[in-house]
């Protein structure tokens, strides 16, 4: 399995690839489309669009958000929230999600050195995502929040 995976901030050169990002409805209910998030990043404070590259091709996407997003999930002002995480279905099943999450602490240390934790909310019905996050080292400390689709588990990953 080739795992040439890396993370990069969104740049316009990725737009064309992200315009054709076919998330099926069963996945779209739990996340957002990349270009919708990119548009939101233009008006939101501490809202960073991140592209997951596989062999230099955009294969996934997520947002890192600061305190405005974190405060629903944690009291830690030095945390970043992952939201709208997805892998393009064309690239699913190649280990890209796991590898991208393994790279995330190093990426955050390089670009956000003051941050010491990553948090996220994952819907209780989204079992595949829960499994990926847990395998990547996230921990469920028992906190729950309620979103538009019901209960979410709050997962944490300390950045050393």
């Amino acid at each position: 399995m080739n795992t040439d995976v890396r993370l990069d901030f969104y740049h316009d050169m990725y737009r064309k690839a992200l315009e054709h990002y076919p998330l099926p409805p069963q996945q779209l209910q739990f996340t957002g489309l990349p270009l919708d998030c990119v548009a939101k990043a233009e008006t939101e404070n501490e809202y960073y669009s991140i592209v997951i590259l596989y062999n230099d091709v955009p294969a996934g996407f997520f947002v890192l958000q600061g305190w405005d997003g974190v405060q629903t999930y944690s009291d830690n002002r030095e945390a970043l929230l992952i939201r709208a995480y997805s892998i393009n279905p064309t690239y699913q099943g190649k280990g890209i999600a796991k590898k991208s999450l393994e790279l995330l602490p190093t990426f955050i240390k390089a670009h956000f050195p003051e941050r010491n934790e990553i948090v996220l909310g994952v819907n209780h019905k989204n079992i595949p995502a829960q499994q990926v996050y847990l395998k990547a080292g996230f921990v469920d400390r028992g906190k729950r929040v309620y979103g538009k689709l019901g209960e979410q588990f709050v997962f944490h990953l300390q950045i050393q």
Side-chain angles (χ1 to χ4, degrees):
M1 175 173 22
N2 187 340
T3 55
D4 184 15
V5 176
R6 64 185 181 88
L7 304 176
D8 193 11
F9 288 98
Y10 172 82
H11 300 284
D12 281 337
M13 65 183 175
Y14 301 134
R15 177 171 287 282
K16 189 163 184 73
L18 295 176
E19 284 174 352
H20 308 288
Y21 200 89
L23 287 176
Q26 67 270 23
Q27 291 177 18
L28 193 54
Q29 68 179 324
F30 299 122
T31 191
L33 288 171
L35 292 182
D36 292 344
C37 295
V38 167
K40 186 173 180 176
E42 294 173 4
T43 62
E44 293 285 322
N45 187 34
E46 287 195 315
Y47 197 92
Y48 309 97
S49 300
I50 311 297
V51 178
I52 302 166
L53 298 166
Y54 178 69
N55 296 326
D56 294 322
V57 175
F61 182 88
F62 62 95
V63 168
L64 290 173
Q65 187 176 16
W67 180 244
D68 285 350
V70 168
Q71 62 188 323
T72 300
Y73 303 91
S74 172
D75 294 332
N76 181 0
R77 287 186 169 270
E78 282 75 46
L80 283 172
L81 174 71
I82 294 178
R83 61 181 341 137
Y85 184 95
S86 66
I87 301 294
N88 182 320
T90 304
Y91 296 97
Q92 290 177 6
K94 299 179 183 304
I96 296 169
K98 183 175 183 274
K99 182 66 175 177
S100 71
L101 292 169
E102 289 170 355
L103 294 171
L104 191 54
T106 302
F107 182 85
I108 289 175
K109 278 194 270 187
H111 299 286
F112 305 94
E114 71 285 2
R115 305 301 181 150
N116 62 17
E117 183 180 26
I118 307 164
V119 296
L120 61 87
V122 60
N123 192 281
H124 74 284
K125 294 178 185 173
N126 194 349
I127 307 296
Q130 291 171 37
Q131 292 171 341
V132 170
Y133 294 131
L134 293 170
K135 285 179 185 172
F138 281 81
V139 175
D140 180 358
R141 295 183 187 157
K143 181 171 180 165
R144 304 293 181 256
V145 296
Y146 290 86
K148 60 186 172 191
L149 293 177
E151 185 180 44
Q152 293 183 334
F153 302 126
V154 178
F155 288 0
H156 303 259
L157 182 66
Q158 291 300 127
I159 299 173
Q160 304 300 325

